[in-house]
Amino acid sequence: MLQVERMSLILAELNANGRVTVNGLAERLMVSKVTIRRDLELLNQENKLLIVHGGAIKPNFRLYEAPFNQRHDINIDEKKQVGQKAAEFIQDYDVVAFGVGTTTLQIAKHLQNKHNLTIIVGCVSILNQLIERKKSGFFTGKIIFLGGEIDTDQMFATGTVMMDMLDRLNIDKAFIGANGYSIVNGITTYNIDEGNFLKRMILRSSEVYLVVDHTKIDAKSMYKYTEFNDVNHVICDSEPPSDWIKQLESEGVQWTKA
């Protein structure tokens, strides 16, 4: 079977079921898993699907949220670009809050030459990275962890203790992620607890920066936690869709390409 035929069949199954698996495709198309992964990668580069652990899903809808460590390496180069650019917006003496997500993690990994920061964080993976960066002298200041019950799949704190603590804090700049960013569907995530946490963080912040890679643009997930114009700034590895530009400008949403 030619590659173009395989890719056509992959897209047909994806459109029918919303999700495909490497194992299932390899068995049905009678080719190796390596071949299927290669086909999926090409389709991903064309923005026709989104690669997830074990297979792929439609690019415009997140059927589930893979665990944090499984999502870490998806589109890693783009996430690094976004994280590095976002870190440039952090200034000395800022009170900064980090949301949950693998793109947000990259901001922490690129923090350097910053002084007297106060960093508020509810994600364990980001907390660990910040501790190492501070101990290594990349920034000075203090780290405040929003404690609570730990979601061990998504690696962040949840519950009323965390939310009550967040309600007592005033934040200069919040950096948040999303599973989808859309003018029509707003800012969405799969995890309701995460969405409620990010919504509260937005309300407590003077400026809000959304950090996403290109696969999240015009995508949607199950839970809408806020409107597209409830952020002040979008940082992405690609330009916005051309038909969005006027509305983004009219709503005061700045867009920076990393």
Side-chain angles (χ1 to χ4, degrees), residues 23-35:
N23 291 342
L25 289 171
E27 183 177 341
R28 279 188 291 282
L29 301 179
M30 294 182 291
V31 294
S32 69
K33 295 177 185 178
V34 172
T35 297

Side-chain angles (χ1 to χ4, degrees), residues 70-172:
Q70 293 179 9
R71 292 184 285 119
H72 179 272
D73 293 331
I74 298 174
N75 298 319
I76 187 62
D77 291 337
E78 291 88 344
K79 291 175 181 177
K80 287 179 179 178
Q81 283 178 244
V82 172
Q84 183 174 10
K85 176 57 69 174
E88 296 176 7
F89 288 87
I90 298 173
Q91 305 297 321
D92 294 349
Y93 296 95
D94 275 344
V95 178
V96 176
F98 288 153
V100 183
T102 54
T103 305
T104 316
L105 173 63
Q106 292 300 324
I107 307 174
K109 288 187 174 185
H110 286 89
L111 267 183
Q112 58 183 346
N113 299 322
K114 308 294 182 181
H115 304 285
N116 298 303
L117 299 178
T118 299
I119 302 179
I120 299 157
V121 60
C123 176
V124 178
S125 297
I126 298 174
L127 172 67
N128 290 338
Q129 183 62 222
L130 288 169
I131 290 170
E132 292 304 314
R133 298 291 284 184
K134 184 182 177 185
K135 286 168 63 178
S136 299
F138 288 103
F139 72 92
T140 64
K142 57 187 176 182
I143 303 167
I144 299 172
F145 180 65
L146 299 170
E149 182 180 352
I150 302 299
D151 181 324
T152 54
D153 281 337
Q154 303 307 329
M155 298 298 288
F156 72 95
T158 64
T160 57
V161 172
M162 181 268 292
M163 293 293 243
D164 288 345
M165 189 174 180
L166 182 58
D167 276 342
R168 298 172 184 271
L169 299 171
N170 294 311
I171 300 163
D172 294 325

